[in-house]
Amino acid sequence: MQPTDIRNPAYFHKVVDCQWACPAHTPVPEYIRLIAAGRYSDAYMVNWQANVFPGILGRTCDRPCEPACRRSRVEESTGNKPEPVAICRLKRVAADLKDDVQARLPKPAARWNGKRVACVGAGPSSLTVARDLAPLGYRVTVFEADAKPGGFMRTQVPRFRLPEEVIDEETGYILGLGVEFVAGRRIDSLKTLLAEKFDAIFIGCGAPRGRDLELPGRQEAAAQIHVGIDWLASVYFGHISKVGKRVIVLGGGNTAMDCCRSAKRLGGDAVTVIVRSGFDEMKASPWEKEDAMHEGIPILDCRVPKAFLHENGRLVGMTFEKVRVEHGADGRRKLVPTGEPDERHDCDEVLIAVGQENAFPWIERDIGITFDPKWDMPVVDQTTMQSSLPHVLFGGDAAFGPKNIIWAVAHGHEAALSIELLLGGADTRERPLPAVEVMSQKMGIHEWSYDNNISPDLRYKVPWADPAKTLKSMSLEVELGFDAETAWKEAQRCLNCDVQTVFSDHLCIECDACVDICPMDCITFTVNAEEGELRMQLTAPALNTEQALYVSDPVKTGRVMVKDEDVCLHCGLCAERCPTGAWDMQKYLIEMSHAGDAKPDAKQEAA
């Protein structure tokens, strides 16, 4: 193998598994260390720079960082139950325990740069675009059909998960940057909006249409059958305040979990989730399923809905075909009928949460925007977020279909950067490189500026409020969050994956002290070979090809040092033991490029 080029910004970034997995690339270990030091406001601002909504995401994020957490892998390799660091809930700690950060936020631009940007919808993606561009002098106008900003964060996520005051605070930070918020205006014609001569238009209106199920009995019992996302919005706006005693929720995603938990609070004595897929294949996050079941809501899997049953115009139940999950040779899932009799489940109300889709009847098809004929979706560049009309960009659910808030934020950052490049006359595909800082953490011969002790503690559980109270209230928050003491303990479980082991081959005397002391057997000095062979030559074979091997230049004997990045604990014992300083612990901080990081051309500077 060729020696590893650690100057490549992506190399150590990928080793920081949590940050690499986060769509917004939040510097997770950095803010966790700040929390451990009691610097909650600093931790909040690190989050705010990357993911914009720390308090909201600390409660609602889909947490792609946590399955990637190195803590799970190394615990599993030692035979323990794998438990990632509670990254998401530590983010909430920063939001809950911070001081007033208003003075630390950017100020509204002192001078307009002459460019006008429209954002359609006031959801997380549009608000991210506004957050990034407004302080740079762009005049950003956000159009929203509802009275308040937030989009589906406000209208579809129940208050027992996400308090209104958290949404108000974090959307307020953005509007306070000089953003013009036009409430109560639904954009019903893109052609009309284009005529208003904005320099760029960002469409972040979400995926506002829930899928229906056209089964026998659907029309006859329509009064008691509701599309999930519409029903959640009606609950938020106060149009619905109660449900029938027996409620069936159809679907296995996070919206279905919000529906069933809301129905439980609105009077549903017997609320049941019924899903076509197997339990493990449900789209809902594992913790969302756990929360629903914790509240006494059963989840029945492998049941395909067949018909709505009705008597005298009222819904009385549903029938389901029982299936089993099989996978073909191509790996595709098939639902195969078991041959058992159909099941009947009596109910008074049904909530359909089987998916969401985009609806763009307001985008005329003769204005130059190319639509994918298969999905009837605008064709959007996944790097620049631009449509076939370069100054019309998409993000969030409106771009590629329903995902989580953190994906919408990531899209917003990329779109804002594209707008800056586009309006500055630059190529939107030439993205500026991220800012990278690598700094030794050595403070003495055997001392580091970070705590490299590894806590043996298992993951701490977030405390819940009394269910006797929460199940009677739509507004009482269920999760209480970590207190400062528990947050400190949980923060100690972080392995500081951003503090990298950096090897200097010219200093190595091949004493093998680092090999002897490594608790994971991840360092080997061996004869170089092709990657597949080299992986098997290591003291502990490196089987996870998703993570790289760190390969040095030849040392004095001609061998190479090879380290398996997959299971390294970043404990620093190799650097502490090394008598020549060939190993060092260096903190790697990468900040992704956002609007403001691109070099403007002369035209933009003159604006």
PDB file of all heavy atoms in Angstrom, residues 13 35 72 126 184 215 238 285 308 326 337 359 375-376 480 483 556 584:
ATOM      1  N   HIS A  13     -11.019  13.203   8.913  1.00  0.00           N
ATOM      2  CA  HIS A  13     -12.456  13.475   9.066  1.00  0.00           C
ATOM      3  C   HIS A  13     -13.227  12.158   9.136  1.00  0.00           C
ATOM      4  O   HIS A  13     -14.107  11.981   9.985  1.00  0.00           O
ATOM      5  CB  HIS A  13     -12.948  14.324   7.895  1.00  0.00           C
ATOM      6  CG  HIS A  13     -14.369  14.768   8.012  1.00  0.00           C
ATOM      7  ND1 HIS A  13     -15.060  15.367   6.966  1.00  0.00           N
ATOM      8  CD2 HIS A  13     -15.258  14.717   9.033  1.00  0.00           C
ATOM      9  CE1 HIS A  13     -16.288  15.645   7.353  1.00  0.00           C
ATOM     10  NE2 HIS A  13     -16.439  15.267   8.593  1.00  0.00           N
ATOM     11  N   ILE A  35     -18.799  20.475  26.963  1.00  0.00           N
ATOM     12  CA  ILE A  35     -19.837  20.152  27.951  1.00  0.00           C
ATOM     13  C   ILE A  35     -19.200  19.574  29.208  1.00  0.00           C
ATOM     14  O   ILE A  35     -19.564  19.935  30.337  1.00  0.00           O
ATOM     15  CB  ILE A  35     -20.866  19.179  27.345  1.00  0.00           C
ATOM     16  CG1 ILE A  35     -21.726  19.902  26.307  1.00  0.00           C
ATOM     17  CG2 ILE A  35     -21.749  18.560  28.433  1.00  0.00           C
ATOM     18  CD1 ILE A  35     -22.625  18.983  25.505  1.00  0.00           C
ATOM     19  N   SER A  72     -19.555   2.148  20.259  1.00  0.00           N
ATOM     20  CA  SER A  72     -20.307   0.911  20.028  1.00  0.00           C
ATOM     21  C   SER A  72     -19.413  -0.186  19.485  1.00  0.00           C
ATOM     22  O   SER A  72     -19.477  -1.333  19.915  1.00  0.00           O
ATOM     23  CB  SER A  72     -21.454   1.152  19.044  1.00  0.00           C
ATOM     24  OG  SER A  72     -22.424   2.008  19.591  1.00  0.00           O
ATOM     25  N   SER A 126     -34.854  26.201   4.607  1.00  0.00           N
ATOM     26  CA  SER A 126     -34.926  27.624   4.246  1.00  0.00           C
ATOM     27  C   SER A 126     -34.310  28.507   5.316  1.00  0.00           C
ATOM     28  O   SER A 126     -33.600  29.480   5.021  1.00  0.00           O
ATOM     29  CB  SER A 126     -36.388  28.033   4.035  1.00  0.00           C
ATOM     30  OG  SER A 126     -36.918  27.501   2.847  1.00  0.00           O
ATOM     31  N   GLY A 184     -48.189  33.995   6.374  1.00  0.00           N
ATOM     32  CA  GLY A 184     -49.516  33.948   5.778  1.00  0.00           C
ATOM     33  C   GLY A 184     -49.532  34.083   4.273  1.00  0.00           C
ATOM     34  O   GLY A 184     -50.585  34.320   3.684  1.00  0.00           O
ATOM     35  N   LEU A 215     -58.236   1.763  -0.223  1.00  0.00           N
ATOM     36  CA  LEU A 215     -58.691   0.386  -0.003  1.00  0.00           C
ATOM     37  C   LEU A 215     -60.211   0.350   0.018  1.00  0.00           C
ATOM     38  O   LEU A 215     -60.864   1.393   0.190  1.00  0.00           O
ATOM     39  CB  LEU A 215     -58.149  -0.138   1.333  1.00  0.00           C
ATOM     40  CG  LEU A 215     -56.627  -0.204   1.495  1.00  0.00           C
ATOM     41  CD1 LEU A 215     -56.279  -0.609   2.919  1.00  0.00           C
ATOM     42  CD2 LEU A 215     -56.018  -1.166   0.499  1.00  0.00           C
ATOM     43  N   GLY A 238     -55.219  23.047  16.879  1.00  0.00           N
ATOM     44  CA  GLY A 238     -56.379  22.987  17.758  1.00  0.00           C
ATOM     45  C   GLY A 238     -57.661  22.582  17.078  1.00  0.00           C
ATOM     46  O   GLY A 238     -58.733  22.643  17.685  1.00  0.00           O
ATOM     47  N   SER A 285     -36.978   5.310  13.823  1.00  0.00           N
ATOM     48  CA  SER A 285     -35.752   5.134  14.595  1.00  0.00           C
ATOM     49  C   SER A 285     -36.013   4.180  15.750  1.00  0.00           C
ATOM     50  O   SER A 285     -37.106   4.169  16.311  1.00  0.00           O
ATOM     51  CB  SER A 285     -35.277   6.484  15.143  1.00  0.00           C
ATOM     52  OG  SER A 285     -35.136   7.434  14.102  1.00  0.00           O
ATOM     53  N   PHE A 308     -61.116  -1.337   4.917  1.00  0.00           N
ATOM     54  CA  PHE A 308     -61.735  -0.634   6.032  1.00  0.00           C
ATOM     55  C   PHE A 308     -63.158  -1.171   6.181  1.00  0.00           C
ATOM     56  O   PHE A 308     -63.914  -1.221   5.196  1.00  0.00           O
ATOM     57  CB  PHE A 308     -61.774   0.873   5.776  1.00  0.00           C
ATOM     58  CG  PHE A 308     -60.421   1.507   5.638  1.00  0.00           C
ATOM     59  CD1 PHE A 308     -59.899   1.797   4.379  1.00  0.00           C
ATOM     60  CD2 PHE A 308     -59.661   1.815   6.757  1.00  0.00           C
ATOM     61  CE1 PHE A 308     -58.656   2.388   4.240  1.00  0.00           C
ATOM     62  CE2 PHE A 308     -58.407   2.407   6.628  1.00  0.00           C
ATOM     63  CZ  PHE A 308     -57.901   2.689   5.365  1.00  0.00           C
ATOM     64  N   GLU A 326     -39.422 -12.282   3.280  1.00  0.00           N
ATOM     65  CA  GLU A 326     -38.387 -13.089   2.648  1.00  0.00           C
ATOM     66  C   GLU A 326     -37.523 -12.182   1.781  1.00  0.00           C
ATOM     67  O   GLU A 326     -37.982 -11.155   1.283  1.00  0.00           O
ATOM     68  CB  GLU A 326     -39.006 -14.202   1.780  1.00  0.00           C
ATOM     69  CG  GLU A 326     -39.741 -15.276   2.583  1.00  0.00           C
ATOM     70  CD  GLU A 326     -40.244 -16.411   1.694  1.00  0.00           C
ATOM     71  OE1 GLU A 326     -40.026 -16.328   0.460  1.00  0.00           O
ATOM     72  OE2 GLU A 326     -40.845 -17.356   2.224  1.00  0.00           O
ATOM     73  N   PRO A 337     -47.498 -14.005   1.608  1.00  0.00           N
ATOM     74  CA  PRO A 337     -48.639 -14.386   2.467  1.00  0.00           C
ATOM     75  C   PRO A 337     -48.364 -15.695   3.202  1.00  0.00           C
ATOM     76  O   PRO A 337     -47.798 -16.643   2.645  1.00  0.00           O
ATOM     77  CB  PRO A 337     -49.793 -14.539   1.471  1.00  0.00           C
ATOM     78  CG  PRO A 337     -49.400 -13.691   0.301  1.00  0.00           C
ATOM     79  CD  PRO A 337     -47.907 -13.788   0.210  1.00  0.00           C
ATOM     80  N   ALA A 359     -45.453  17.608  -3.491  1.00  0.00           N
ATOM     81  CA  ALA A 359     -46.547  18.090  -4.331  1.00  0.00           C
ATOM     82  C   ALA A 359     -46.143  19.464  -4.871  1.00  0.00           C
ATOM     83  O   ALA A 359     -45.989  20.403  -4.094  1.00  0.00           O
ATOM     84  CB  ALA A 359     -47.839  18.187  -3.518  1.00  0.00           C
ATOM     85  N   TRP A 375     -40.849  10.177 -10.969  1.00  0.00           N
ATOM     86  CA  TRP A 375     -41.305  10.590  -9.637  1.00  0.00           C
ATOM     87  C   TRP A 375     -41.994  11.941  -9.649  1.00  0.00           C
ATOM     88  O   TRP A 375     -42.480  12.389  -8.602  1.00  0.00           O
ATOM     89  CB  TRP A 375     -40.106  10.645  -8.682  1.00  0.00           C
ATOM     90  CG  TRP A 375     -39.385   9.347  -8.570  1.00  0.00           C
ATOM     91  CD1 TRP A 375     -38.158   9.040  -9.092  1.00  0.00           C
ATOM     92  CD2 TRP A 375     -39.838   8.153  -7.931  1.00  0.00           C
ATOM     93  NE1 TRP A 375     -37.809   7.743  -8.814  1.00  0.00           N
ATOM     94  CE2 TRP A 375     -38.821   7.171  -8.090  1.00  0.00           C
ATOM     95  CE3 TRP A 375     -40.993   7.810  -7.219  1.00  0.00           C
ATOM     96  CZ2 TRP A 375     -38.938   5.880  -7.577  1.00  0.00           C
ATOM     97  CZ3 TRP A 375     -41.095   6.532  -6.714  1.00  0.00           C
ATOM     98  CH2 TRP A 375     -40.090   5.579  -6.887  1.00  0.00           C
ATOM     99  N   ASP A 376     -42.026  12.620 -10.790  1.00  0.00           N
ATOM    100  CA  ASP A 376     -42.602  13.960 -10.895  1.00  0.00           C
ATOM    101  C   ASP A 376     -41.966  14.903  -9.879  1.00  0.00           C
ATOM    102  O   ASP A 376     -42.626  15.701  -9.224  1.00  0.00           O
ATOM    103  CB  ASP A 376     -44.122  13.924 -10.707  1.00  0.00           C
ATOM    104  CG  ASP A 376     -44.788  15.199 -11.221  1.00  0.00           C
ATOM    105  OD1 ASP A 376     -44.263  15.786 -12.183  1.00  0.00           O
ATOM    106  OD2 ASP A 376     -45.813  15.615 -10.637  1.00  0.00           O
ATOM    107  N   LEU A 480     -36.833  14.660  30.203  1.00  0.00           N
ATOM    108  CA  LEU A 480     -36.410  15.764  31.056  1.00  0.00           C
ATOM    109  C   LEU A 480     -35.012  16.253  30.699  1.00  0.00           C
ATOM    110  O   LEU A 480     -34.631  17.357  31.087  1.00  0.00           O
ATOM    111  CB  LEU A 480     -36.433  15.324  32.527  1.00  0.00           C
ATOM    112  CG  LEU A 480     -37.797  14.883  33.061  1.00  0.00           C
ATOM    113  CD1 LEU A 480     -37.681  14.425  34.507  1.00  0.00           C
ATOM    114  CD2 LEU A 480     -38.808  16.023  32.940  1.00  0.00           C
ATOM    115  N   ASP A 483     -29.184  16.198  33.662  1.00  0.00           N
ATOM    116  CA  ASP A 483     -28.684  17.289  34.494  1.00  0.00           C
ATOM    117  C   ASP A 483     -27.179  17.398  34.290  1.00  0.00           C
ATOM    118  O   ASP A 483     -26.559  16.586  33.583  1.00  0.00           O
ATOM    119  CB  ASP A 483     -29.050  17.080  35.965  1.00  0.00           C
ATOM    120  CG  ASP A 483     -28.502  15.777  36.550  1.00  0.00           C
ATOM    121  OD1 ASP A 483     -27.537  15.213  35.986  1.00  0.00           O
ATOM    122  OD2 ASP A 483     -29.043  15.319  37.575  1.00  0.00           O
ATOM    123  N   LYS A 556      13.237   2.037   9.550  1.00  0.00           N
ATOM    124  CA  LYS A 556      14.640   1.709   9.276  1.00  0.00           C
ATOM    125  C   LYS A 556      14.851   0.294   8.741  1.00  0.00           C
ATOM    126  O   LYS A 556      15.754   0.031   7.940  1.00  0.00           O
ATOM    127  CB  LYS A 556      15.467   1.937  10.543  1.00  0.00           C
ATOM    128  CG  LYS A 556      15.560   3.416  10.922  1.00  0.00           C
ATOM    129  CD  LYS A 556      16.363   3.617  12.191  1.00  0.00           C
ATOM    130  CE  LYS A 556      16.567   5.102  12.493  1.00  0.00           C
ATOM    131  NZ  LYS A 556      15.309   5.830  12.676  1.00  0.00           N
ATOM    132  N   ASP A 584       2.445  11.014  18.232  1.00  0.00           N
ATOM    133  CA  ASP A 584       1.921  12.228  18.859  1.00  0.00           C
ATOM    134  C   ASP A 584       0.405  12.176  18.795  1.00  0.00           C
ATOM    135  O   ASP A 584      -0.172  11.530  17.913  1.00  0.00           O
ATOM    136  CB  ASP A 584       2.437  13.474  18.137  1.00  0.00           C
ATOM    137  CG  ASP A 584       2.131  14.773  18.881  1.00  0.00           C
ATOM    138  OD1 ASP A 584       1.825  14.696  20.093  1.00  0.00           O
ATOM    139  OD2 ASP A 584       2.203  15.849  18.258  1.00  0.00           O
TER     140      ASP A 584
END
